Amino acid sequence: MDRNPKPTSILESLGEEIIRIVAPVSICMLLVVLLVTVLDANSSSDSSSLTTIATIAYNEDTSDSIWDKLKGALLNSLVFVAVVTVVTFVLVLLFYLRCTRFLKLYMGFSAFVVLGFMGGEIALFLIRDFSFPIDCITFLLVLFNFTVVGVMAVFMSKMAILVTQGYLVVIAILVAYWFTLLPEWTTWVLLVAMALYDLAAVLLPGGPLRLLVELAMSRDEDIPALVYEARPVTNHDSSPRPVMVERRVWKERMSLASGMGVSSTSGSNSDFNTNSVFDSNSMSATLSSATNGQNETRLVITGDHLLSEGASQLSAPLISRPLQRTNSTRVGQEEVSTENFHLEGIGLGSSGAIKLGLGDFIFYSVLVGRAAMYDFMTVYACYLAIIAGLGITLMLLAFHQKALPALPVSVLLGVLFYFLTRFLLEVFVVQCSLHLLMF
Amino acid sequence: MTVAAGLGYALAALGPSLSLFVAVISKKPFLILTVLSSTLLWLVSLIALSGLWRAFLPLKSTAWWPYGLLIITSVGFQEGLRILFWKVYKRLEDILDAFADRMSKPRLFLTDKMQIALAGGLGHGLAHAVFFCLSLLTPAFGPATFYVDKCPQIPFFLISEGKRIDQIFVPVIHLVAGMVTLINLASGGCIIGIPLLYFLAVLTLLYCGKLVWRRLTESRSRQ
């Protein structure tokens, strides 16, 4: 078919940015589901329970009554959310005192621990399950190299973006897998609690995330964070972009923003290629990216914490929150970075690519991983619910142009669909399939 | 059941959808979004249906009429939803055209419209395939492939805007197909029911193909 004389229709490029963020989220969820199903058979034989922050209040036992389980789960979640709040405030304080170097080092360290220890343990599980023939020394060497490259990818921004993206997704997978090892009720209540905390932290005037945004805005600085950045949309039609200037225009473009909590800047003379999201008629929520000399576009919705915004993404320092140390007996490492990666939220890089905090990745994957422990129907339903929630959040961002949390809609939809599927749909399906009834 | 056999059946159920997806849809991001949203829509419809029927399930009787009622209500509900989907699709086309005008790009081509319709239909087919087939993976086999063939039904429905008879065709086929599965209830029924389903699917495919071809040649002759 001769396509050359035909100009490209808009269908070619519409919605591309959304797909660039939906794809890695889907990959992360898929891999977590795979890990969960593959390692599932052995976890039941593994009787030692996980002692982490999330279970210090109460450790679920299958023989407890429903009320006890519920109370225990609530208690666990409250403790967890409290810890997260405290640590976030500490982060805000450190940021206020300009201890950025410390935060940077801490983030590198936490990436090291996640990749090295958590990744190592999961690798050991897999090796044990599949009787993979490998000796200690090779294993350690490979693991060490893998970890070091990961730390560099996360720490330094001069790596190939694919490598950085891959490592971020791997970190999210590892942390999410460890979260799925929590007892069931605790996981569900924890997810809902985190979604609500997210909502509060970003929208309430005293919320830590809001403070962080304001601080960063007033100082015109980067916020330390661990984020995933989708590849910038390149379009051959656009004129070559000028070199990005190292400036963040938080304040200049406040005309479109409303109030302090907003950190949205709109692009001025946008290249036409990515379309403005402020167009309410638009079906896609692609955010406009205009880099034209000094102007940068930035639209930030924050989840738990904010994203770092570098003028040129490549040199953005990525810093995470302080580690949470515990004296847990089993593996103190797994909850080590639970707080580090609570950096959720969606934002827009200066090159126009959408950024999503790792915490979002993690909690979405935890939800789907938990659903996988029940049945594939629930996985399917929860996956669709989460993607729908993500889409809705992007659209809300388009309309409100305010700092918005990325967790609540998706998680609440996901939980809703899980319970609906589990209790309603499953009976229906079983009925129909038993008699080979189809429609 | 072994992993290999299970994987084989899963692929039989989802194979054509997957190949369609990779070949046509994965190139255009908007179509991926359309597939996802249409799958979501049908999933919601199935959940609503199951919610409706929850009180009456599990059906204990062995007579066929409760099941018949089940199928009739389900199909009716889904057809109603399909009409709604069609309206939204029309609106979507207008919005996209307005958008394209603003971007000073050409309006949606006919192939574009068909692709969107195809994506929608694929989502529908996918939702049904997962719903009915994946849960059957362990005990059953065979019925898997039917749902994949259902995906042409939506593009068919959407493109058949001109003629009334075409529009009726789809709901009728849906209903007939549903009823045919009732035959499966009879003990030896499988043997009759499933080939009939295949036959219906092929019939639908042929009709749809003819329609698409007709539209394409019409538009080409018009240009």
Side-chain angles (χ1 to χ4, degrees):
Chain A
M1 202 137 48
D2 185 19
R3 288 230 162 239
N4 291 342
K6 233 191 217 180
T8 50
S9 91
I10 53 167
L11 213 59
E12 303 271 340
S13 58
L14 206 59
E16 190 164 1
E17 306 219 337
I18 303 186
I19 292 299
R20 286 211 171 141
I21 205 75
V22 163
V25 171
S26 311
I27 292 177
C28 184
M29 290 201 260
L30 180 72
L31 287 175
V32 170
V33 166
L34 271 179
L35 260 185
V36 163
T37 45
V38 160
L39 293 177
D40 192 27
N42 299 357
S43 65
S44 48
S45 60
D46 196 25
S47 54
S48 62
S49 59
L50 207 58
T51 316
T52 65
I53 293 187
T55 51
I56 50 176
Y58 163 76
N59 225 331
E60 190 170 308
D61 205 355
T62 42
S63 56
D64 288 345
S65 72
I66 291 193
W67 184 239
D68 277 342
K69 282 193 203 170
L70 192 62
K71 271 194 319 194
L74 275 171
L75 216 54
N76 274 340
S77 317
L78 278 175
V79 168
F80 192 80
V81 170
V83 165
V84 165
T85 318
V86 165
V87 177
T88 318
F89 275 112
V90 169
L91 172 70
V92 174
L93 187 68
L94 283 176
F95 188 65
Y96 181 71
L97 297 175
R98 300 173 196 271
C99 305
T100 38
R101 190 176 158 75
F102 172 73
L103 291 174
K104 249 177 106 159
L105 285 175
Y106 220 31
M107 173 170 121
F109 175 71
S110 67
F112 181 82
V113 165
V114 167
L115 286 173
F117 292 106
M118 291 198 202
E121 268 208 61
I122 292 185
L124 281 175
F125 287 156
L126 287 171
I127 290 178
R128 185 186 61 188
D129 279 358
F130 293 112
S131 310
F132 193 64
I134 188 172
D135 62 292
C136 290
I137 299 182
T138 315
F139 176 72
L140 279 175
L141 203 64
V142 169
L143 185 67
F144 182 68
N145 281 325
F146 178 74
T147 308
V148 166
V149 175
V151 171
M152 284 185 349
V154 152
F155 210 17
M156 294 172 5
S157 3
K158 303 234 185 312
M159 284 258 183
I161 198 168
L162 211 55
V163 173
T164 313
Q165 287 177 338
Y167 269 107
L168 286 172
V169 171
V170 167
I171 291 177
I173 292 173
L174 295 175
V175 178
Y177 178 73
W178 282 105
F179 263 106
T180 59
L181 295 179
L182 292 175
E184 185 173 5
W185 285 71
T186 307
T187 316
W188 291 112
V189 179
L190 184 71
L191 280 170
V192 175
M194 284 305 292
L196 293 174
Y197 163 75
D198 211 23
L199 205 58
V202 174
L203 297 178
L204 289 182
L209 295 175
R210 205 163 167 167
L211 293 178
L212 207 56
V213 180
E214 291 166 13
L215 262 182
M217 277 192 336
S218 65
R219 278 199 219 157
D220 203 22
E221 255 181 36
D222 282 341
I223 296 174
L226 202 60
V227 304
Y228 176 94
E229 182 198 346
R231 278 227 205 109
V233 176
T234 51
N235 193 322
H236 42 266
D237 290 348
S238 70
S239 53
R241 294 207 175 96
V243 173
M244 321 231 185
V245 174
E246 185 95 16
R247 245 182 68 190
R248 277 158 276 306
V249 277
W250 297 95
K251 294 177 238 176
E252 272 88 4
R253 304 266 157 211
M254 288 296 263
S255 53
L256 281 186
S258 53
M260 291 270 281
V262 182
S263 47
S264 117
T265 65
S266 93
S268 51
N269 338 333
S270 34
D271 293 344
F272 78 89
N273 61 341
T274 46
N275 315 306
S276 159
V277 76
F278 313 134
D279 174 16
S280 56
N281 285 338
S282 158
M283 290 299 285
S284 90
T286 51
L287 306 173
S288 113
S289 83
T291 46
N292 191 345
Q294 295 93 325
N295 301 325
E296 297 166 6
T297 351
R298 209 177 311 169
L299 207 65
V300 176
I301 350 179
T302 61
D304 229 357
H305 296 279
L306 279 188
L307 319 174
S308 76
E309 269 300 354
S312 75
Q313 294 314 318
L314 295 183
S315 62
L318 297 170
I319 309 176
S320 82
R321 297 168 45 193
L323 279 177
Q324 180 70 31
R325 298 225 172 83
T326 75
N327 299 324
S328 113
T329 48
R330 185 164 187 240
V331 265
Q333 304 95 359
E334 69 261 7
E335 78 279 2
V336 111
S337 319
T338 54
E339 282 75 39
N340 290 359
F341 309 107
H342 288 185
L343 300 160
E344 293 126 29
I346 300 182
L348 183 63
S350 58
S351 51
I354 294 185
K355 294 171 108 184
L356 185 64
L358 265 197
D360 286 329
F361 274 79
I362 291 172
F363 284 111
Y364 295 162
S365 307
V366 170
L367 207 157
V368 176
R370 235 327 135 174
M373 289 183 174
Y374 187 69
D375 189 23
F376 278 118
M377 282 297 303
T378 43
V379 169
Y380 166 69
C382 290
Y383 169 76
L384 285 176
I386 289 180
I387 299 289
L390 195 60
I392 293 178
T393 313
L394 284 173
M395 280 195 244
L396 279 179
L397 167 68
F399 290 154
H400 287 261
Q401 303 170 32
K402 261 177 62 157
L404 287 177
L407 264 194
V409 181
S410 289
V411 164
L412 292 177
L413 265 184
V415 171
L416 178 72
F417 269 63
Y418 174 79
F419 285 112
L420 278 180
T421 308
R422 181 167 169 169
F423 295 119
L424 292 182
L425 202 59
E426 200 185 353
V427 178
F428 195 61
V429 175
V430 165
Q431 267 297 292
C432 285
S433 30
L434 271 184
H435 302 279
L436 285 185
L437 282 179
M438 292 180 287
F439 55 88
Chain B
M1 211 157 81
T2 63
V3 174
L7 206 61
Y9 292 134
L11 281 179
L14 295 176
S17 312
L18 204 63
S19 47
L20 208 60
F21 186 82
V22 168
V24 175
I25 295 193
S26 59
K27 306 261 180 332
K28 309 202 175 174
F30 187 72
L31 294 180
I32 302 181
L33 289 175
T34 315
V35 171
L36 284 175
S37 35
S38 99
T39 312
L40 181 71
L41 185 69
W42 293 109
L43 176 72
V44 168
S45 79
L46 285 171
I47 292 185
L49 272 178
S50 57
L52 216 62
W53 274 94
R54 181 72 174 91
F56 307 103
L57 295 172
L59 294 170
K60 295 275 191 304
S61 63
T62 47
W64 63 270
W65 65 263
Y67 298 106
L69 199 60
L70 186 75
I71 292 195
I72 294 182
T73 51
S74 315
V75 173
F77 184 73
Q78 291 212 323
E79 291 308 321
L81 207 58
R82 199 191 293 262
I83 298 184
L84 190 68
F85 192 71
W86 189 38
K87 296 215 170 83
V88 171
Y89 170 75
K90 285 282 169 209
R91 180 115 196 284
L92 177 70
E93 259 185 40
D94 292 336
I95 293 178
L96 281 179
D97 275 339
F99 194 63
D101 284 343
R102 197 157 351 146
M103 299 281 298
S104 58
K105 272 190 163 163
R107 298 197 141 208
L108 290 179
F109 301 114
L110 187 62
T111 47
D112 286 340
K113 294 189 188 167
M114 287 198 193
Q115 282 180 338
I116 299 181
L118 182 66
L122 185 63
H124 183 185
L126 196 65
H128 276 240
V130 170
F131 183 76
F132 288 108
C133 309
L134 287 192
S135 46
L136 286 182
L137 263 188
T138 9
F141 62 95
T145 53
F146 176 63
Y147 281 94
V148 179
D149 301 334
K150 276 182 58 147
C151 46
Q153 279 185 356
I154 283 213
F156 172 62
F157 188 70
L158 294 172
I159 293 177
S160 67
E161 33 185 295
K163 304 202 173 166
R164 192 81 196 142
I165 182 79
D166 291 342
Q167 287 175 353
I168 302 281
F169 190 70
V170 171
V172 165
I173 280 276
H174 201 182
L175 195 61
V176 170
M179 290 317 221
V180 161
T181 58
L182 275 181
I183 301 182
N184 286 334
L185 277 182
S187 53
C190 272
I191 309 187
I192 314 174
I194 303 211
L196 266 181
L197 278 181
Y198 283 141
F199 173 68
L200 277 174
V202 169
L203 192 69
T204 318
L205 259 178
L206 284 176
Y207 200 83
C208 172
K210 207 175 63 166
L211 197 65
V212 167
W213 187 251
R214 195 170 4 118
R215 282 292 298 266
L216 273 177
T217 44
E218 263 174 27
S219 71
R220 210 169 289 162
S221 60
R222 239 186 284 135
Q223 277 166 3

